[in-house]
Amino acid sequence: MILTVLLLLVIGLPGYSDGGKVLVTLRKIGHELLLASGDSTSWISPIEELDERTFLIRFQRPFAFQPASLVEIIHRHLQENQGPLHYLVEVRQEKRNTVAYSYEVRQPLNWKTIACLTRRPPRGAYTIKIQFAQPPVQTASIGRVGWLAGLLLTVLLMGVGWRLVNRKTLPSAPVEQASPLTLVHLGPLTFCLEKQILRLGADRIELSTKESKLLKVFATSPNAVIDRNRLMEQVWGEEGVFVGRSLDVFVSRLRKKLQPAPTVRIVNSHGRGYKLEIDSPKEPGQDG
């Protein structure tokens, strides 16, 4: 109960955020950038999460921006909603695969270190990529958390002391056994759902949360094509954003982590989705 109270207090601290709040903050940034360029009608595409630290803001129409205004808008929203974070911003021209403007912020913001603030880049079809030095979650004040933890620890010790003084002999309760780990065998690989790891003999392969969710879906239907929509719904459905490009990124990462086991691979089914192929073990005497 004490830990639950501490967690609730931490969530209420300035600077604490979750993944959903990050997406809302980035959409606000895109909205204000369009307003600053005189566009109040065009659409901002759903925010794309390239990985847990990198996000992409896409726009429906070309727009113009002033570097000084861009820096101020992004920093103000991140400071208000995410707390003091280090981050890198790139304004990209996707068709040319070039970076039109970029800068890095290491707290506190130092305007003198940011170049070209007074220049005016031409109007263009830009996307904005923001990469954080650390995942933008749980950035609560460590000092305040420590103070609260000390206070709660004092209350806890007082409660334990009172109970020891006034305790009565109670019948011993049966010891509950820990739930067994869920293990899924994929050819020579063993997938542990709870620990988000793959094992190949003595080797251990770490998986991210998204990679683990994705492999869990594949493991339910091995050697069968799984529709893209089903994969996105079961892995990202609770986030309520379209992540088609993110799906391809995470499938590519998962492929690399399966490479040590050549008999297990993810195959693309054009226009449909992906399939986890697992080769059957060869019978003794079969040719290679």
Side-chain angles (χ1 to χ4, degrees), residues 83-206:
L85 297 173
H86 302 326
Y87 57 90
L88 172 69
V89 175
E90 291 183 352
V91 182
R92 304 183 62 88
Q93 292 180 320
E94 292 295 324
K95 292 184 179 180
R96 298 181 183 178
N97 194 26
T98 58
V99 177
Y101 183 69
S102 66
Y103 66 93
E104 184 177 12
V105 171
R106 304 191 70 80
Q107 300 293 342
L109 173 61
N110 184 357
W111 288 90
K112 294 181 181 180
T113 63
I114 302 178
C116 304
L117 288 173
T118 59
R119 299 183 185 275
R120 288 179 172 268
R123 187 180 188 86
Y126 298 117
T127 61
I128 297 177
K129 177 182 175 182
I130 301 179
Q131 184 173 39
F132 298 96
Q134 297 294 332
V137 297
Q138 298 181 5
T139 56
S141 166
I142 295 177
R144 189 170 178 185
V145 171
W147 180 83
L148 288 171
L151 177 61
L152 290 172
L153 181 59
T154 301
V155 174
L156 177 62
L157 291 175
M158 291 175 62
V160 171
W162 179 87
R163 183 160 186 174
L164 289 174
V165 172
N166 298 277
R167 68 179 179 177
K168 296 179 180 179
T169 304
L170 299 175
S172 58
V175 178
E176 295 185 3
Q177 294 184 349
S179 300
L181 296 176
T182 304
L183 301 178
V184 179
H185 297 285
L186 306 171
L189 296 169
T190 300
F191 174 35
C192 179
L193 294 172
E194 289 81 5
K195 294 188 177 181
Q196 297 182 186
I197 59 171
L198 281 170
R199 288 195 178 277
L200 179 62
D203 295 332
R204 173 190 176 109
I205 304 169
E206 301 282 349

